[in-house]
Amino acid sequence: MPFVTPESQEFVNTFGIETTLVGEYQYRLDFSEVVDGELGVSYDVIGRSVAVSWCPVPGKGVFSTFREGATVLRIADSAESSKLVVEFSTEDTTGSLEVQVFPYVSVSERTLIC
């Protein structure tokens, strides 16, 4: 099953940041210049994985999560918020991971056992 992701220009249009290629099929998004604190999202197109790290106050703790089995990474942009939504599915679980970037950073995840 392929992992569907936005085109690089869509990240620029919505969030004002560019993707950075960090491997043959691995990309990183660094939101630190457009949000308070440090927020990074990386994804592996072939490995179908997504990692998120968020440090609201640099040097004062970090939230970190890693999900495998990603099927879709999409941008959800509305008048109320701009966020990344990752849908994932493995043999045992299904769920979604949402990383809201604007107007403030928020991370939420839902995982259900199949």
PDB file of all heavy atoms in Angstrom, residues 45-67:
ATOM      1  N   VAL A  45       8.582   8.005   2.993  1.00  0.00           N
ATOM      2  CA  VAL A  45       7.595   7.583   2.007  1.00  0.00           C
ATOM      3  C   VAL A  45       7.626   6.069   1.803  1.00  0.00           C
ATOM      4  O   VAL A  45       6.574   5.427   1.764  1.00  0.00           O
ATOM      5  CB  VAL A  45       7.819   8.337   0.670  1.00  0.00           C
ATOM      6  CG1 VAL A  45       6.860   7.851  -0.393  1.00  0.00           C
ATOM      7  CG2 VAL A  45       7.670   9.834   0.875  1.00  0.00           C
ATOM      8  N   ILE A  46       8.800   5.482   1.675  1.00  0.00           N
ATOM      9  CA  ILE A  46       8.913   4.042   1.451  1.00  0.00           C
ATOM     10  C   ILE A  46       8.663   3.268   2.744  1.00  0.00           C
ATOM     11  O   ILE A  46       7.973   2.252   2.753  1.00  0.00           O
ATOM     12  CB  ILE A  46      10.297   3.683   0.859  1.00  0.00           C
ATOM     13  CG1 ILE A  46      10.483   4.375  -0.492  1.00  0.00           C
ATOM     14  CG2 ILE A  46      10.466   2.171   0.725  1.00  0.00           C
ATOM     15  CD1 ILE A  46       9.472   4.018  -1.564  1.00  0.00           C
ATOM     16  N   GLY A  47       9.198   3.755   3.869  1.00  0.00           N
ATOM     17  CA  GLY A  47       9.011   3.092   5.162  1.00  0.00           C
ATOM     18  C   GLY A  47       7.636   3.311   5.763  1.00  0.00           C
ATOM     19  O   GLY A  47       7.294   2.704   6.772  1.00  0.00           O
ATOM     20  N   ARG A  48       6.861   4.223   5.164  1.00  0.00           N
ATOM     21  CA  ARG A  48       5.488   4.519   5.623  1.00  0.00           C
ATOM     22  C   ARG A  48       5.457   4.862   7.113  1.00  0.00           C
ATOM     23  O   ARG A  48       4.642   4.356   7.865  1.00  0.00           O
ATOM     24  CB  ARG A  48       4.556   3.360   5.304  1.00  0.00           C
ATOM     25  CG  ARG A  48       4.399   3.097   3.818  1.00  0.00           C
ATOM     26  CD  ARG A  48       3.464   1.945   3.498  1.00  0.00           C
ATOM     27  NE  ARG A  48       2.239   2.044   4.267  1.00  0.00           N
ATOM     28  CZ  ARG A  48       1.614   0.985   4.797  1.00  0.00           C
ATOM     29  NH1 ARG A  48       2.098  -0.223   4.647  1.00  0.00           N
ATOM     30  NH2 ARG A  48       0.496   1.150   5.465  1.00  0.00           N
ATOM     31  N   SER A  49       6.356   5.743   7.524  1.00  0.00           N
ATOM     32  CA  SER A  49       6.404   6.131   8.927  1.00  0.00           C
ATOM     33  C   SER A  49       6.427   7.649   9.066  1.00  0.00           C
ATOM     34  O   SER A  49       6.819   8.359   8.148  1.00  0.00           O
ATOM     35  CB  SER A  49       7.637   5.532   9.604  1.00  0.00           C
ATOM     36  OG  SER A  49       8.816   6.014   8.998  1.00  0.00           O
ATOM     37  N   VAL A  50       5.987   8.110  10.248  1.00  0.00           N
ATOM     38  CA  VAL A  50       5.952   9.535  10.565  1.00  0.00           C
ATOM     39  C   VAL A  50       6.438   9.709  11.999  1.00  0.00           C
ATOM     40  O   VAL A  50       6.044   8.957  12.893  1.00  0.00           O
ATOM     41  CB  VAL A  50       4.516  10.101  10.437  1.00  0.00           C
ATOM     42  CG1 VAL A  50       4.470  11.555  10.871  1.00  0.00           C
ATOM     43  CG2 VAL A  50       4.008   9.957   9.016  1.00  0.00           C
ATOM     44  N   ALA A  51       7.287  10.711  12.210  1.00  0.00           N
ATOM     45  CA  ALA A  51       7.766  11.048  13.553  1.00  0.00           C
ATOM     46  C   ALA A  51       7.461  12.518  13.814  1.00  0.00           C
ATOM     47  O   ALA A  51       7.587  13.354  12.918  1.00  0.00           O
ATOM     48  CB  ALA A  51       9.259  10.798  13.673  1.00  0.00           C
ATOM     49  N   VAL A  52       7.048  12.805  15.047  1.00  0.00           N
ATOM     50  CA  VAL A  52       6.751  14.178  15.453  1.00  0.00           C
ATOM     51  C   VAL A  52       7.500  14.463  16.743  1.00  0.00           C
ATOM     52  O   VAL A  52       7.487  13.638  17.661  1.00  0.00           O
ATOM     53  CB  VAL A  52       5.228  14.381  15.702  1.00  0.00           C
ATOM     54  CG1 VAL A  52       4.953  15.792  16.205  1.00  0.00           C
ATOM     55  CG2 VAL A  52       4.433  14.084  14.453  1.00  0.00           C
ATOM     56  N   SER A  53       8.157  15.612  16.817  1.00  0.00           N
ATOM     57  CA  SER A  53       8.760  16.060  18.071  1.00  0.00           C
ATOM     58  C   SER A  53       8.354  17.513  18.300  1.00  0.00           C
ATOM     59  O   SER A  53       8.355  18.320  17.368  1.00  0.00           O
ATOM     60  CB  SER A  53      10.281  15.915  18.045  1.00  0.00           C
ATOM     61  OG  SER A  53      10.835  16.746  17.060  1.00  0.00           O
ATOM     62  N   TRP A  54       7.983  17.801  19.535  1.00  0.00           N
ATOM     63  CA  TRP A  54       7.518  19.141  19.885  1.00  0.00           C
ATOM     64  C   TRP A  54       8.067  19.511  21.241  1.00  0.00           C
ATOM     65  O   TRP A  54       7.909  18.774  22.228  1.00  0.00           O
ATOM     66  CB  TRP A  54       5.996  19.165  19.896  1.00  0.00           C
ATOM     67  CG  TRP A  54       5.378  20.467  20.320  1.00  0.00           C
ATOM     68  CD1 TRP A  54       5.850  21.718  20.104  1.00  0.00           C
ATOM     69  CD2 TRP A  54       4.155  20.621  21.033  1.00  0.00           C
ATOM     70  NE1 TRP A  54       4.991  22.645  20.624  1.00  0.00           N
ATOM     71  CE2 TRP A  54       3.941  21.995  21.206  1.00  0.00           C
ATOM     72  CE3 TRP A  54       3.219  19.733  21.519  1.00  0.00           C
ATOM     73  CZ2 TRP A  54       2.835  22.501  21.860  1.00  0.00           C
ATOM     74  CZ3 TRP A  54       2.113  20.238  22.178  1.00  0.00           C
ATOM     75  CH2 TRP A  54       1.925  21.611  22.345  1.00  0.00           C
ATOM     76  N   CYS A  55       8.715  20.642  21.284  1.00  0.00           N
ATOM     77  CA  CYS A  55       9.265  21.187  22.518  1.00  0.00           C
ATOM     78  C   CYS A  55       8.734  22.617  22.633  1.00  0.00           C
ATOM     79  O   CYS A  55       9.272  23.528  22.002  1.00  0.00           O
ATOM     80  CB  CYS A  55      10.789  21.161  22.463  1.00  0.00           C
ATOM     81  SG  CYS A  55      11.586  21.737  23.953  1.00  0.00           S
ATOM     82  N   PRO A  56       7.649  22.815  23.410  1.00  0.00           N
ATOM     83  CA  PRO A  56       7.031  24.148  23.495  1.00  0.00           C
ATOM     84  C   PRO A  56       7.991  25.234  23.983  1.00  0.00           C
ATOM     85  O   PRO A  56       7.953  26.358  23.500  1.00  0.00           O
ATOM     86  CB  PRO A  56       5.884  23.967  24.483  1.00  0.00           C
ATOM     87  CG  PRO A  56       5.640  22.499  24.548  1.00  0.00           C
ATOM     88  CD  PRO A  56       6.935  21.837  24.212  1.00  0.00           C
ATOM     89  N   VAL A  57       8.846  24.877  24.932  1.00  0.00           N
ATOM     90  CA  VAL A  57       9.849  25.807  25.451  1.00  0.00           C
ATOM     91  C   VAL A  57      11.201  25.124  25.290  1.00  0.00           C
ATOM     92  O   VAL A  57      11.446  24.097  25.933  1.00  0.00           O
ATOM     93  CB  VAL A  57       9.587  26.143  26.939  1.00  0.00           C
ATOM     94  CG1 VAL A  57      10.641  27.106  27.461  1.00  0.00           C
ATOM     95  CG2 VAL A  57       8.194  26.707  27.138  1.00  0.00           C
ATOM     96  N   PRO A  58      12.059  25.638  24.414  1.00  0.00           N
ATOM     97  CA  PRO A  58      13.344  24.978  24.178  1.00  0.00           C
ATOM     98  C   PRO A  58      14.080  24.660  25.479  1.00  0.00           C
ATOM     99  O   PRO A  58      14.185  25.484  26.377  1.00  0.00           O
ATOM    100  CB  PRO A  58      14.116  25.990  23.333  1.00  0.00           C
ATOM    101  CG  PRO A  58      13.040  26.746  22.612  1.00  0.00           C
ATOM    102  CD  PRO A  58      11.905  26.839  23.605  1.00  0.00           C
ATOM    103  N   GLY A  59      14.510  23.409  25.580  1.00  0.00           N
ATOM    104  CA  GLY A  59      15.239  22.958  26.763  1.00  0.00           C
ATOM    105  C   GLY A  59      14.363  22.570  27.935  1.00  0.00           C
ATOM    106  O   GLY A  59      14.856  22.242  29.010  1.00  0.00           O
ATOM    107  N   LYS A  60      13.037  22.580  27.773  1.00  0.00           N
ATOM    108  CA  LYS A  60      12.111  22.310  28.879  1.00  0.00           C
ATOM    109  C   LYS A  60      11.187  21.136  28.595  1.00  0.00           C
ATOM    110  O   LYS A  60       9.998  21.213  28.780  1.00  0.00           O
ATOM    111  CB  LYS A  60      11.265  23.551  29.170  1.00  0.00           C
ATOM    112  CG  LYS A  60      12.041  24.759  29.553  1.00  0.00           C
ATOM    113  CD  LYS A  60      12.542  24.636  30.966  1.00  0.00           C
ATOM    114  CE  LYS A  60      13.226  25.941  31.358  1.00  0.00           C
ATOM    115  NZ  LYS A  60      13.742  25.912  32.679  1.00  0.00           N
ATOM    116  N   GLY A  61      11.704  20.026  28.116  1.00  0.00           N
ATOM    117  CA  GLY A  61      10.883  18.842  27.882  1.00  0.00           C
ATOM    118  C   GLY A  61      10.471  18.712  26.433  1.00  0.00           C
ATOM    119  O   GLY A  61      10.366  19.697  25.715  1.00  0.00           O
ATOM    120  N   VAL A  62      10.238  17.486  26.022  1.00  0.00           N
ATOM    121  CA  VAL A  62       9.917  17.204  24.633  1.00  0.00           C
ATOM    122  C   VAL A  62       8.795  16.177  24.558  1.00  0.00           C
ATOM    123  O   VAL A  62       8.791  15.204  25.308  1.00  0.00           O
ATOM    124  CB  VAL A  62      11.147  16.639  23.887  1.00  0.00           C
ATOM    125  CG1 VAL A  62      10.795  16.191  22.484  1.00  0.00           C
ATOM    126  CG2 VAL A  62      12.271  17.644  23.853  1.00  0.00           C
ATOM    127  N   PHE A  63       7.854  16.403  23.657  1.00  0.00           N
ATOM    128  CA  PHE A  63       6.868  15.382  23.292  1.00  0.00           C
ATOM    129  C   PHE A  63       7.374  14.763  22.003  1.00  0.00           C
ATOM    130  O   PHE A  63       7.775  15.466  21.079  1.00  0.00           O
ATOM    131  CB  PHE A  63       5.492  16.003  23.056  1.00  0.00           C
ATOM    132  CG  PHE A  63       4.540  15.056  22.383  1.00  0.00           C
ATOM    133  CD1 PHE A  63       3.866  14.105  23.126  1.00  0.00           C
ATOM    134  CD2 PHE A  63       4.348  15.090  21.012  1.00  0.00           C
ATOM    135  CE1 PHE A  63       3.004  13.205  22.512  1.00  0.00           C
ATOM    136  CE2 PHE A  63       3.482  14.205  20.394  1.00  0.00           C
ATOM    137  CZ  PHE A  63       2.811  13.255  21.146  1.00  0.00           C
ATOM    138  N   SER A  64       7.349  13.442  21.933  1.00  0.00           N
ATOM    139  CA  SER A  64       7.828  12.752  20.754  1.00  0.00           C
ATOM    140  C   SER A  64       6.968  11.528  20.492  1.00  0.00           C
ATOM    141  O   SER A  64       6.612  10.810  21.437  1.00  0.00           O
ATOM    142  CB  SER A  64       9.289  12.338  20.969  1.00  0.00           C
ATOM    143  OG  SER A  64       9.767  11.621  19.864  1.00  0.00           O
ATOM    144  N   THR A  65       6.627  11.300  19.228  1.00  0.00           N
ATOM    145  CA  THR A  65       5.882  10.099  18.871  1.00  0.00           C
ATOM    146  C   THR A  65       6.346   9.621  17.501  1.00  0.00           C
ATOM    147  O   THR A  65       6.838  10.406  16.690  1.00  0.00           O
ATOM    148  CB  THR A  65       4.354  10.334  18.889  1.00  0.00           C
ATOM    149  OG1 THR A  65       3.684   9.084  18.754  1.00  0.00           O
ATOM    150  CG2 THR A  65       3.909  11.264  17.797  1.00  0.00           C
ATOM    151  N   PHE A  66       6.181   8.334  17.267  1.00  0.00           N
ATOM    152  CA  PHE A  66       6.567   7.711  16.006  1.00  0.00           C
ATOM    153  C   PHE A  66       5.476   6.731  15.616  1.00  0.00           C
ATOM    154  O   PHE A  66       5.043   5.924  16.444  1.00  0.00           O
ATOM    155  CB  PHE A  66       7.904   6.971  16.188  1.00  0.00           C
ATOM    156  CG  PHE A  66       8.349   6.218  14.966  1.00  0.00           C
ATOM    157  CD1 PHE A  66       8.975   6.876  13.925  1.00  0.00           C
ATOM    158  CD2 PHE A  66       8.135   4.850  14.857  1.00  0.00           C
ATOM    159  CE1 PHE A  66       9.390   6.181  12.795  1.00  0.00           C
ATOM    160  CE2 PHE A  66       8.554   4.151  13.739  1.00  0.00           C
ATOM    161  CZ  PHE A  66       9.184   4.820  12.701  1.00  0.00           C
ATOM    162  N   ARG A  67       5.002   6.821  14.388  1.00  0.00           N
ATOM    163  CA  ARG A  67       3.942   5.929  13.910  1.00  0.00           C
ATOM    164  C   ARG A  67       4.382   5.249  12.628  1.00  0.00           C
ATOM    165  O   ARG A  67       4.950   5.889  11.742  1.00  0.00           O
ATOM    166  CB  ARG A  67       2.649   6.701  13.630  1.00  0.00           C
ATOM    167  CG  ARG A  67       2.018   7.359  14.819  1.00  0.00           C
ATOM    168  CD  ARG A  67       1.579   6.414  15.894  1.00  0.00           C
ATOM    169  NE  ARG A  67       0.813   5.312  15.347  1.00  0.00           N
ATOM    170  CZ  ARG A  67       0.457   4.242  16.039  1.00  0.00           C
ATOM    171  NH1 ARG A  67       0.799   4.117  17.285  1.00  0.00           N
ATOM    172  NH2 ARG A  67      -0.242   3.285  15.476  1.00  0.00           N
TER     173      ARG A  67
END
